[in-house]
Amino acid sequence: MAVYIQSAAQITIQSPLCDDWFTSPIRREGRYFRSVEPDFKAFIDPMASRRMGRLLKRAIASAMTALDGYEAPLDAIVTGTGLGCIETTEKFLNAMLRDGEQALPPSFFMQSTHNTIGSVIAQRLKCHGYNNTFTHRGTSFDCALQDALAQFELNDISSALVCANDEMTEAYFQLFDQIGYWKAEEVTEAMFHHPTTEGSFAGEVSAAFLLNTQPTQQTFCRIEGLEVLFEPTDERFRQAVEALLGKADISREEVDAVVCGYNADRTNDEVYTRRLMPLFPQTTQIYYKHLFGEGFSASAMGYYVAATCLKRGEIPAHIRFKEGKTAQPKHILVYNHFQDKDHSIALLSC
Amino acid sequence: MGIICGLGCGTQAVYDALRAGKPAIGTVRHLRTSHTELPVSEVAVSNEEMIEMLHLPSDRVVTRTPLLGMVAFQQALRQSGLTDSVRTAFVNGTTVGGMEKSEQYYLEFFEGKHTEYIAAHDCGAGTEQIGRLFGHLDAMYTISTACSSATNALIMGANLIKSGKADAAIVGGTESLSKFHLNGFNSLMILDHEPCKPFDKNRNGLNLGEGAAYLVIETAESAQKRGATPLCELSGYANACDAYHQTATSPEGEGPFLAMTGALNKAGLKPADIDYINAHGTGTGNNDLCESVAIKRVFGEYVPPFSSTKSFTGHTTSAAGAVEAVISILSLTNGFIPANLNFSSAIEESGLIPVTKGVGDVELRHVMSNSFGFGGNDSSCIFSKIS
Amino acid sequence: MNELISTLKQEIIEVLNLEGMTPDGIDDNAPLFNGGDPSVAGLGLDSIDALELIVLMERNYGIKLKNASEGKEIFKSVATMADYISKNRTK
């Protein structure tokens, strides 16, 4: 059964809940940026949000925006989050380490479980459907999407909200800094094109996608398929790509662009080149982490960017990483990996 | 299948303890907490002992949650004889992740000490460590839906296989005790200071436990091709959301009701076909009442024998769905219904009475297992004898 | 007593993060919990708020409750809560 991305919404380090990034992106050169937040009062009344940390508010605002105008029942809510509501987790942990094991605040604990995000969205929508949460580092969103797609395939669902939500607190930024996730110096756009060191820069992502099986005028694109792989051999990787193309009945030459998670980290970026060059030597490449930063939910923005390009029928210059042919895009691959361990590759078409 | 929990290591040890009616609820030994007054169900072996059992290098950076997972994972692989000649996915349920070490070293992390444990904190890190015990996995997934994580891993694995995205899957969950979670549950005031009394009128909360369990699942054709003998059929499963409150279940038990009826529908079974329910039965006021209400809504007048084996194992949270799946399959294959310990009088609103003493020599064809999580993430599955 | 009541209101607003609410806006005798019934006027707090109030009493007034259900009577209104605190406080 064909699955379509009907709508998408994002709250990131670009202007929130709109696609200004497509035409007039905010240049992000530095080490650490927090999301630009919309006015949450438009989505949640203060009494209902009194216990919510900012990630929950972002999750609701992005989900409600993606569902704006959607009246039909929703069969599933699947969330990807690498760390869950880490801000509230830290609050509980700090209280416990500071004050000892007595009189600790339950609200912070309650929000520390990763599934809080998906369940709060379900409560808000009164959605009794399938609800699941994936927390698998840099491919958390990809895993969530795979769950939804498997169920579409089995005709168990005909609509789903698939979300990605991660925040980067000051403390967690520092912790990841200790283990080399971030560059020592400010990351510039030039470094994406010529990475000489390890590390990236930190951003935050809340994104929501509404998927269903009926295309409309507003439809972004079709999801032809997704392959999630662990440490694939080159042969297995090629096989997965061929399977995706075979299912959509297109050749490699017909792929208009590949969206890649280049993040200015030498080791990370080298993987994309190594895996893709033998298969797609001439194909246009798109990058997006220079706009949205790196984080466990960042991969969701790869799909977001690809879907937007397909809907608008163009690939703006500021996201072109490598120039290939410049036709109006019809088929875009979205390729993402985490430390060359977990890989995901999807084909989107319009 | 493989299992490690308070009751012991391996399916035989767990079955023997259930059969003997010997629970594993006691005082903490390994966990560093000041709450020694709270009963828990701790796995007897220490991290160091597990590292030895698994023949890992003694300086290996690994936390208790993946260690427990590795022990159970290895057992499951041995019993199944599964190798990487088939496309195998690993779906792991966990919530605690590396918290057991993070809470110990957190402040020192910022001073640049023990930083090797920073990357071991998130849930996916443990999944990878466990998964590497298998030759070559085709894909890995980590699920975290609190107390229903492992059941949702089972459901995801089944869906991956049915949709052709995997040939076989290793599914389940692992969770160690941590100071963070013990204090978290304590802050919610739902920990019993005595051994828990699921479904009892005077129940007073749950006892936390720890453990891990995994199942190897595949299609009948795949098993036949490998010459493997399946233990049972995963005939039905469903996931639903209560969508009511972040920690409490709705009074009418909508999520649990939808999960149980969904599983029955998927299996093509009637409520009367279920011979035993391994209930979620945490021992909290809210869960046991709402689960009882939901059970009555599904099964009507004739509620099948049911029990909560959390009275033996404590609540192993993210692992519970897999621990209880293994117990359900042991019940099914041995014709044995384990007891619901510490029960004396029924909840007034429901009047439901669980099985209070283990019953052997019964013919079980279909066993239902319930797992309900915080946030109303409710799932049920049904294991059936192969006809 | 009046002083305790106004301190308590301030603490409740802070602990429960009741954005936009002022101490003057809380009636001493209005129910804190309406049991989900919107027709009952009051703050409309829920079971998690009750647990937070228990933590507040323990932290600020040295009163420890063993069982969450004990809170039911105590947290009827700010006035009943203040009354209980004034009788049982250890700090």
Side-chain angles (χ1 to χ4, degrees), chain C residues 27-41:
Chain C
D27 188 313
D28 294 0
N29 297 303
L32 294 175
F33 299 85
N34 58 10
D37 179 358
S39 66
V40 180

PDB file of all heavy atoms in Angstrom, chain C residues 27-41:
ATOM      1  N   ASP C  27      -8.872  31.304  46.523  1.00  0.00           N
ATOM      2  CA  ASP C  27      -9.767  31.413  47.681  1.00  0.00           C
ATOM      3  C   ASP C  27      -9.284  30.435  48.766  1.00  0.00           C
ATOM      4  O   ASP C  27      -8.976  29.293  48.478  1.00  0.00           O
ATOM      5  CB  ASP C  27     -11.184  31.048  47.223  1.00  0.00           C
ATOM      6  CG  ASP C  27     -12.215  31.330  48.304  1.00  0.00           C
ATOM      7  OD1 ASP C  27     -11.987  30.945  49.479  1.00  0.00           O
ATOM      8  OD2 ASP C  27     -13.249  31.921  47.964  1.00  0.00           O
ATOM      9  N   ASP C  28      -9.245  30.914  50.037  1.00  0.00           N
ATOM     10  CA  ASP C  28      -8.759  30.071  51.138  1.00  0.00           C
ATOM     11  C   ASP C  28      -9.519  28.748  51.218  1.00  0.00           C
ATOM     12  O   ASP C  28      -8.978  27.722  51.588  1.00  0.00           O
ATOM     13  CB  ASP C  28      -8.935  30.780  52.494  1.00  0.00           C
ATOM     14  CG  ASP C  28      -8.046  32.004  52.598  1.00  0.00           C
ATOM     15  OD1 ASP C  28      -7.321  32.274  51.614  1.00  0.00           O
ATOM     16  OD2 ASP C  28      -8.090  32.676  53.645  1.00  0.00           O
ATOM     17  N   ASN C  29     -10.814  28.802  50.903  1.00  0.00           N
ATOM     18  CA  ASN C  29     -11.666  27.641  51.121  1.00  0.00           C
ATOM     19  C   ASN C  29     -12.078  26.907  49.840  1.00  0.00           C
ATOM     20  O   ASN C  29     -12.799  25.928  49.892  1.00  0.00           O
ATOM     21  CB  ASN C  29     -12.917  28.042  51.895  1.00  0.00           C
ATOM     22  CG  ASN C  29     -12.551  28.562  53.283  1.00  0.00           C
ATOM     23  OD1 ASN C  29     -11.900  27.855  54.050  1.00  0.00           O
ATOM     24  ND2 ASN C  29     -12.901  29.813  53.571  1.00  0.00           N
ATOM     25  N   ALA C  30     -11.601  27.397  48.711  1.00  0.00           N
ATOM     26  CA  ALA C  30     -11.968  26.740  47.444  1.00  0.00           C
ATOM     27  C   ALA C  30     -11.269  25.382  47.363  1.00  0.00           C
ATOM     28  O   ALA C  30     -10.135  25.227  47.814  1.00  0.00           O
ATOM     29  CB  ALA C  30     -11.550  27.612  46.270  1.00  0.00           C
ATOM     30  N   PRO C  31     -11.949  24.378  46.802  1.00  0.00           N
ATOM     31  CA  PRO C  31     -11.324  23.051  46.702  1.00  0.00           C
ATOM     32  C   PRO C  31     -10.105  23.072  45.777  1.00  0.00           C
ATOM     33  O   PRO C  31     -10.147  23.687  44.714  1.00  0.00           O
ATOM     34  CB  PRO C  31     -12.432  22.167  46.148  1.00  0.00           C
ATOM     35  CG  PRO C  31     -13.445  23.085  45.562  1.00  0.00           C
ATOM     36  CD  PRO C  31     -13.327  24.392  46.259  1.00  0.00           C
ATOM     37  N   LEU C  32      -9.019  22.416  46.224  1.00  0.00           N
ATOM     38  CA  LEU C  32      -7.832  22.337  45.384  1.00  0.00           C
ATOM     39  C   LEU C  32      -8.042  21.320  44.269  1.00  0.00           C
ATOM     40  O   LEU C  32      -7.567  21.469  43.162  1.00  0.00           O
ATOM     41  CB  LEU C  32      -6.621  21.920  46.232  1.00  0.00           C
ATOM     42  CG  LEU C  32      -6.167  22.923  47.302  1.00  0.00           C
ATOM     43  CD1 LEU C  32      -5.046  22.326  48.138  1.00  0.00           C
ATOM     44  CD2 LEU C  32      -5.699  24.215  46.658  1.00  0.00           C
ATOM     45  N   PHE C  33      -8.792  20.266  44.606  1.00  0.00           N
ATOM     46  CA  PHE C  33      -9.035  19.197  43.631  1.00  0.00           C
ATOM     47  C   PHE C  33     -10.524  19.143  43.332  1.00  0.00           C
ATOM     48  O   PHE C  33     -11.328  19.162  44.248  1.00  0.00           O
ATOM     49  CB  PHE C  33      -8.591  17.843  44.204  1.00  0.00           C
ATOM     50  CG  PHE C  33      -7.135  17.815  44.534  1.00  0.00           C
ATOM     51  CD1 PHE C  33      -6.675  18.294  45.753  1.00  0.00           C
ATOM     52  CD2 PHE C  33      -6.218  17.342  43.609  1.00  0.00           C
ATOM     53  CE1 PHE C  33      -5.313  18.285  46.051  1.00  0.00           C
ATOM     54  CE2 PHE C  33      -4.868  17.330  43.908  1.00  0.00           C
ATOM     55  CZ  PHE C  33      -4.413  17.810  45.135  1.00  0.00           C
ATOM     56  N   ASN C  34     -10.884  19.071  42.061  1.00  0.00           N
ATOM     57  CA  ASN C  34     -12.306  18.964  41.747  1.00  0.00           C
ATOM     58  C   ASN C  34     -12.675  17.574  41.249  1.00  0.00           C
ATOM     59  O   ASN C  34     -13.758  17.344  40.741  1.00  0.00           O
ATOM     60  CB  ASN C  34     -12.750  20.034  40.746  1.00  0.00           C
ATOM     61  CG  ASN C  34     -11.949  19.956  39.455  1.00  0.00           C
ATOM     62  OD1 ASN C  34     -11.199  19.003  39.246  1.00  0.00           O
ATOM     63  ND2 ASN C  34     -12.102  20.943  38.598  1.00  0.00           N
ATOM     64  N   GLY C  35     -11.718  16.653  41.393  1.00  0.00           N
ATOM     65  CA  GLY C  35     -11.993  15.271  40.991  1.00  0.00           C
ATOM     66  C   GLY C  35     -12.401  15.150  39.533  1.00  0.00           C
ATOM     67  O   GLY C  35     -13.189  14.289  39.168  1.00  0.00           O
ATOM     68  N   GLY C  36     -11.871  16.024  38.704  1.00  0.00           N
ATOM     69  CA  GLY C  36     -12.160  15.947  37.274  1.00  0.00           C
ATOM     70  C   GLY C  36     -13.527  16.516  36.902  1.00  0.00           C
ATOM     71  O   GLY C  36     -13.942  16.469  35.760  1.00  0.00           O
ATOM     72  N   ASP C  37     -14.232  17.052  37.902  1.00  0.00           N
ATOM     73  CA  ASP C  37     -15.560  17.602  37.629  1.00  0.00           C
ATOM     74  C   ASP C  37     -15.447  19.107  37.403  1.00  0.00           C
ATOM     75  O   ASP C  37     -15.231  19.867  38.339  1.00  0.00           O
ATOM     76  CB  ASP C  37     -16.478  17.305  38.829  1.00  0.00           C
ATOM     77  CG  ASP C  37     -17.878  17.869  38.618  1.00  0.00           C
ATOM     78  OD1 ASP C  37     -18.110  18.511  37.579  1.00  0.00           O
ATOM     79  OD2 ASP C  37     -18.719  17.655  39.509  1.00  0.00           O
ATOM     80  N   PRO C  38     -15.555  19.540  36.149  1.00  0.00           N
ATOM     81  CA  PRO C  38     -15.331  20.952  35.842  1.00  0.00           C
ATOM     82  C   PRO C  38     -16.384  21.884  36.447  1.00  0.00           C
ATOM     83  O   PRO C  38     -16.172  23.095  36.538  1.00  0.00           O
ATOM     84  CB  PRO C  38     -15.360  21.007  34.314  1.00  0.00           C
ATOM     85  CG  PRO C  38     -16.026  19.757  33.871  1.00  0.00           C
ATOM     86  CD  PRO C  38     -15.884  18.743  34.958  1.00  0.00           C
ATOM     87  N   SER C  39     -17.528  21.302  36.878  1.00  0.00           N
ATOM     88  CA  SER C  39     -18.566  22.169  37.446  1.00  0.00           C
ATOM     89  C   SER C  39     -18.197  22.607  38.868  1.00  0.00           C
ATOM     90  O   SER C  39     -18.761  23.552  39.400  1.00  0.00           O
ATOM     91  CB  SER C  39     -19.910  21.435  37.448  1.00  0.00           C
ATOM     92  OG  SER C  39     -19.841  20.335  38.328  1.00  0.00           O
ATOM     93  N   VAL C  40     -17.235  21.879  39.473  1.00  0.00           N
ATOM     94  CA  VAL C  40     -16.779  22.286  40.806  1.00  0.00           C
ATOM     95  C   VAL C  40     -15.692  23.345  40.634  1.00  0.00           C
ATOM     96  O   VAL C  40     -14.677  23.109  39.987  1.00  0.00           O
ATOM     97  CB  VAL C  40     -16.207  21.070  41.585  1.00  0.00           C
ATOM     98  CG1 VAL C  40     -15.728  21.494  42.956  1.00  0.00           C
ATOM     99  CG2 VAL C  40     -17.244  19.968  41.690  1.00  0.00           C
ATOM    100  N   ALA C  41     -15.940  24.518  41.190  1.00  0.00           N
ATOM    101  CA  ALA C  41     -14.953  25.589  41.074  1.00  0.00           C
ATOM    102  C   ALA C  41     -13.728  25.230  41.916  1.00  0.00           C
ATOM    103  O   ALA C  41     -13.846  24.562  42.928  1.00  0.00           O
ATOM    104  CB  ALA C  41     -15.547  26.897  41.554  1.00  0.00           C
TER     105      ALA C  41
END
